[in-house]
Amino acid sequence: MSAVQKIADTLEREGQKTLAFFEDLSDDQWATQVYSDGDRWTVHHLLAHFTEVEGSIAKLIRRIVGGDPGVPEDFDIDRWNARYTMEMSAHDRDYLLAEFASRRAATVAMVRGFSEADLAASGRHPFLGQAQVKDMLKLMYVHLMQHQRDIRNVLDR
């Protein structure tokens, strides 16, 4: 199996797991505060964050594959997340679930169209710094898994 196919398949599979995770939550769990620092995100905010990142990082990756250097060195990821997560969180969960599914499908389709050389393209990522596209794509599912672990830990208390 090629690296392109493996990454695309993993993104697709993990996207489905993420959707199932959020769809299984009860109404009262959506308002549960997950983080106590910073913006004090709830479960709803985290789905909004996932949805926003799914679109913005895919756009960044497309630009990097096209030769763009990526985000500027002084990019403030915390300011970005605060602003755009709050904007996205204005939507209800049904919208967010559908939008995440749509954006993840678009990401998977984008990756399936990549070559091995595209995966090796390098640019500046907001969290990773200078990195290859393959590592940025892997972070797209690892990032979700980490936040979902945090949600589970809070809900299990």
Side-chain angles (χ1 to χ4, degrees):
M1 177 182 302
S2 74
V4 169
Q5 184 176 343
K6 183 177 178 182
I7 291 170
D9 289 352
T10 303
L11 282 164
E12 186 172 44
R13 183 176 57 254
E14 292 302 324
Q16 292 167 352
K17 287 180 185 178
T18 295
L19 288 168
F21 172 79
F22 281 103
E23 288 167 348
D24 286 345
L25 295 175
S26 66
D27 288 343
D28 61 323
Q29 289 174 316
W30 282 88
T32 302
Q33 183 178 322
V34 179
Y35 300 118
S36 59
D37 59 339
D39 293 318
R40 302 180 186 270
W41 285 356
T42 65
V43 171
H44 181 88
H45 289 119
L46 281 165
L47 179 58
H49 174 62
F50 291 3
T51 303
E52 191 287 317
V53 166
E54 193 67 32
S56 61
I57 295 297
K59 287 177 190 174
L60 173 65
I61 289 171
R62 275 193 294 278
R63 289 193 342 252
I64 290 170
V65 166
D68 189 272
V71 298
E73 285 189 38
D74 63 349
F75 184 85
D76 186 336
I77 191 171
D78 293 328
R79 188 170 63 217
W80 176 278
N81 284 338
R83 176 181 176 187
Y84 291 103
T85 295
M86 288 304 121
E87 284 181 14
M88 186 63 73
S89 69
H91 297 287
D92 66 32
R93 70 177 164 217
D94 291 333
Y95 172 88
L96 292 174
L97 288 165
E99 189 65 17
F100 175 81
S102 174
R103 290 179 182 201
R104 177 52 63 100
T107 299
V108 170
M110 173 186 72
V111 173
R112 290 197 192 285
F114 281 171
S115 67
E116 297 294 324
D118 293 333
L119 293 182
S122 182
R124 182 169 294 284
H125 183 275
F127 179 77
L128 296 173
Q130 195 67 27
Q132 290 185 318
V133 164
K134 68 180 175 183
D135 295 321
M136 295 177 196
L137 290 166
K138 290 175 186 176
L139 184 61
M140 288 182 78
Y141 54 83
V142 171
H143 172 239
L144 301 185
M145 293 164 62
Q146 291 170 331
H147 281 305
Q148 287 174 73
R149 181 197 63 221
D150 294 344
I151 294 169
R152 279 188 199 91
N153 287 340
V154 168
L155 295 178
D156 287 346
R157 285 188 210 154

